[in-house]
Amino acid sequence: MPLALAAQMTIGAEPVTTERLLEVINPATAEVIGHAPDAGQAELDQAVACARKAFPAWKATTHEQRSKLLQQFAQRMVEHADELAELFTLEHGRPLAMAKEEILGAAFWIRGIAQLELPVEVVEETDARRVEVHHEPLGVVCALVPWNFPILLAAWKISHALATGNTMVLKPSPFTPLTTLRLGELTRDIFPAGVLNIISGGDHLGPLMTSHKGFAKISFTGSTATGKRIMESAAKDLKRITLELGGNDAAIVLPDVDVDEVALKLFMGAFFNSGQVCVACKRLYIHESIYERLRDKLHQLAQTLPIGDGMQPGMLFGPIQNLPQYRRVLQLRDEARDAGLVLLEGAAVPERGYFMPLTLVDNPPEDSRVVAEEAFGPILPLLRFSDIDEVIDRANASDYGLAGAVWSKDVAKALEIAKRLETGTVWINQNLESSPLVPLGGHKQSGIGVENGVAGLMEFTQPKSIFVPKSA
Ligand code: NAD
């Protein structure tokens, strides 16, 4: 594993390492596969200083210049997609073909965001004056990335911040640092020194970053619990924040669907990435008239679709990504079983590594933990409903409000239901779709602000209104 062993941070376009190292574990085998630097205050100060130094010149570049370098970055990712995907699967567990999709998807995203521009707006024009609104970069952005989509979400943050003229210090999750560090290495000859710095470290590093006075903004994706801590920390010097947090997304399946046609799509919407997707379906409400048929079809898929080590060809599902999350999801499952709930288990899984069979829970009570909490793993409660108003109330009865879905042959009816769901995104007859042009964000405790689209870019800027007289 020479690449993994060589992982180094990128600070001021230079490789930097630390004496202390973090162990990185392959969740498919539970073995250590590499090491990453464990940065502390000194390396963080160094990274912030480099980013601050780079900011004035980067801010002064044109959108076209920045966009060109982002396109080069995307191209470099495409050229190294196989190597990056392999490293991704080793540290993350997701099967290789889908790991590669994330790398290529991230490159596609960078290209998409790089093409969006925030031009100067003229909001008033009279004989006496013109009022212009400029969208100015904020300064140095602190980016904190979770382990479930380490490269895609890093690419979102990097592209938003850099396209709008900010510089950045980015930290991957300590569970998945290697691919991101390698990505940093690949950028060293693309961006001017200090524009993009990538550092890694253990649990101590995130709080050091959010309280660092050198940052103007925090862009965070992760759990709601951590998001609250970050907001508290940012309040001390009123740093700008974008928080993309957890979800407990409901999908509502109406009686008119073709069960055979929708079953696999519903299954993948819940179990892709072993259920570790912020916008995965985590509560599946099925109309009572088709409940048994759809339940049995989903169970059959769980029993037949391939799960195992993602380095083996043909796998669709891998392990849970890390040991604490594995223990949490197992506990949720065991508690459900101990409470007498009916579990419908999928195919057997390898004994070593953090594997759990893909599991359905047959119509558990609404207040059971497996329904009320974000499981963030391969366990899905199936819930019966009979009445539309009642199921909408049940779907909305959550502190979360990230995404939701409605499935029906009657798209107009589905749209009426979609409008009543209290979530940032609703899909009709589809799952997990997103685009660089479409804002993604959560209602309620699923977040503050959005990423993607013009609205996402705006979050990395400060509007500056300039009143220009027509005569001196
Ligand atoms: P997490 O909150 O534990 O960690 C996210 C990142 O923050 C990591 O880099 C971590 O090291 C860092 N961090 C942890 N504690 C910190 C602190 N006190 N101060 C600063 N940084 C800190 O989340 P996770 O377990 O890595 O990710 C899973 C969660 O992320 C799920 O809840 C999921 O729904 C959510 N998520 C949301 C979105 C979205 O777009 N809304 C996308 C992906 C994941």
Side-chain angles (χ1 to χ4, degrees), residues 210-215 233-240:
T210 57
S211 59
H212 200 292
K213 290 209 177 309
F215 289 114
S233 173
K236 297 201 176 70
D237 37 11
L238 285 181
K239 289 187 184 85
R240 301 323 186 233

Side-chain angles (χ1 to χ4, degrees), residues 356-370:
M356 177 184 132
L358 310 179
T359 302
L360 303 163
V361 190
D362 190 3
N363 201 29
E366 205 75 11
D367 62 355
S368 51
R369 265 187 74 207
V370 74

Side-chain angles (χ1 to χ4, degrees), residues 19-181:
E19 229 165 82
R20 253 179 48 158
L21 296 174
L22 297 172
E23 284 187 342
V24 183
I25 290 171
N26 177 350
T29 60
E31 283 167 0
V32 175
I33 47 128
H35 294 84
D38 189 4
Q41 189 71 50
E43 293 82 13
L44 171 61
D45 287 344
Q46 193 190 345
V48 175
C50 283
R52 285 178 75 91
K53 192 164 166 226
F55 177 61
W58 185 247
K59 177 185 173 183
T61 56
T62 62
H63 179 267
E64 200 186 338
Q65 289 168 321
R66 296 193 293 268
S67 176
K68 203 168 134 201
L69 296 187
L70 282 165
Q71 307 274 2
Q72 273 179 35
F73 175 38
Q75 183 56 29
R76 186 71 55 87
M77 286 176 81
V78 172
E79 284 158 12
H80 289 261
D82 287 323
E83 169 213 325
L84 289 166
E86 201 165 309
L87 196 50
F88 185 116
T89 296
L90 285 171
E91 70 171 344
H92 185 283
R94 189 183 313 155
L96 197 54
M98 285 168 268
K100 189 166 173 187
E101 273 173 26
E102 176 157 342
I103 307 295
L104 297 176
F108 167 81
W109 226 275
I110 293 167
R111 291 193 170 118
I113 294 291
Q115 283 166 26
L116 288 177
E117 205 180 339
L118 297 178
V120 173
E121 294 168 71
V122 176
V123 292
E124 189 186 309
E125 178 99 63
T126 63
D127 290 345
R129 69 184 190 188
R130 188 176 70 249
V131 184
E132 299 177 348
V133 180
H134 296 240
H135 299 281
E136 298 223 310
L138 299 168
V140 183
V141 176
C142 161
L144 299 163
V145 183
W147 46 261
N148 65 330
F149 283 84
I151 298 304
L152 185 68
L153 296 175
W156 288 14
K157 295 185 188 315
I158 294 167
S159 54
H160 282 64
L162 269 53
T164 45
N166 299 278
T167 58
M168 172 169 272
V169 179
L170 180 141
K171 184 190 83 63
S173 163
F175 295 114
T176 52
L178 298 177
T179 319
T180 313
L181 290 169

Side-chain angles (χ1 to χ4, degrees), residues 57-348:
W58 185 247
K59 177 185 173 183
T61 56
T62 62
H63 179 267
E64 200 186 338
Q65 289 168 321
R66 296 193 293 268
S67 176
K68 203 168 134 201
L69 296 187
L70 282 165
Q71 307 274 2
Q72 273 179 35
F73 175 38
Q75 183 56 29
R76 186 71 55 87
M77 286 176 81
V78 172
E79 284 158 12
H80 289 261
D82 287 323
E83 169 213 325
L84 289 166
E86 201 165 309
L87 196 50
F88 185 116
T89 296
L90 285 171
E91 70 171 344
H92 185 283
R94 189 183 313 155
L96 197 54
M98 285 168 268
K100 189 166 173 187
E101 273 173 26
E102 176 157 342
I103 307 295
L104 297 176
F108 167 81
W109 226 275
I110 293 167
R111 291 193 170 118
I113 294 291
Q115 283 166 26
L116 288 177
E117 205 180 339
L118 297 178
V120 173
E121 294 168 71
V122 176
V123 292
E124 189 186 309
E125 178 99 63
T126 63
D127 290 345
R129 69 184 190 188
R130 188 176 70 249
V131 184
E132 299 177 348
V133 180
H134 296 240
H135 299 281
E136 298 223 310
L138 299 168
V140 183
V141 176
C142 161
L144 299 163
V145 183
W147 46 261
N148 65 330
F149 283 84
I151 298 304
L152 185 68
L153 296 175
W156 288 14
K157 295 185 188 315
I158 294 167
S159 54
H160 282 64
L162 269 53
T164 45
N166 299 278
T167 58
M168 172 169 272
V169 179
L170 180 141
K171 184 190 83 63
S173 163
F175 295 114
T176 52
L178 298 177
T179 319
T180 313
L181 290 169
R182 174 68 181 137
L183 204 59
E185 241 177 278
L186 294 173
T187 66
R188 285 181 200 151
D189 65 344
I190 297 178
F191 300 115
V195 166
L196 176 62
N197 307 275
I198 297 187
I199 61 176
S200 56
D203 292 342
H204 59 285
L205 185 57
L208 288 180
M209 289 175 78
T210 57
S211 59
H212 200 292
K213 290 209 177 309
F215 289 114
K217 176 185 171 76
I218 302 170
S219 171
F220 171 78
T221 304
S223 64
T224 295
T226 309
K228 290 178 184 176
R229 276 181 225 123
I230 283 168
M231 194 163 174
E232 238 178 86
S233 173
K236 297 201 176 70
D237 37 11
L238 285 181
K239 289 187 184 85
R240 301 323 186 233
I241 50 171
T242 300
L243 304 177
E244 298 289 355
L245 309 178
N248 195 10
D249 298 0
I252 299 173
V253 188
L254 301 190
D256 65 354
V257 297
D258 178 337
V259 169
D260 290 331
E261 199 198 306
V262 300
L264 182 62
K265 293 179 192 161
L266 286 167
F267 193 86
M268 292 311 289
F271 288 105
F272 174 66
N273 203 29
S274 297
Q276 305 164 122
V277 183
C278 56
V279 289
C281 166
K282 291 166 188 155
R283 295 177 286 156
L284 184 57
Y285 290 97
I286 306 171
H287 190 266
E288 59 183 1
S289 62
I290 53 167
Y291 183 86
E292 276 80 14
R293 243 178 353 118
L294 184 52
R295 177 198 63 194
D296 294 349
K297 191 88 199 163
L298 294 170
H299 189 201
Q300 194 192 359
L301 290 168
Q303 288 172 317
T304 48
L305 294 176
I307 177 168
D309 186 333
M311 293 303 278
Q312 290 169 10
M315 289 302 152
L316 258 191
F317 304 97
I320 293 175
Q321 199 282 320
N322 60 72
L323 187 57
Q325 187 63 12
Y326 178 56
R327 291 195 172 130
R328 215 191 133 255
V329 183
L330 284 188
Q331 196 191 18
L332 207 62
R333 180 196 65 181
D334 295 345
E335 202 181 290
R337 186 183 281 142
D338 294 346
L341 304 182
V342 179
L343 304 187
L344 305 170
E345 284 202 349

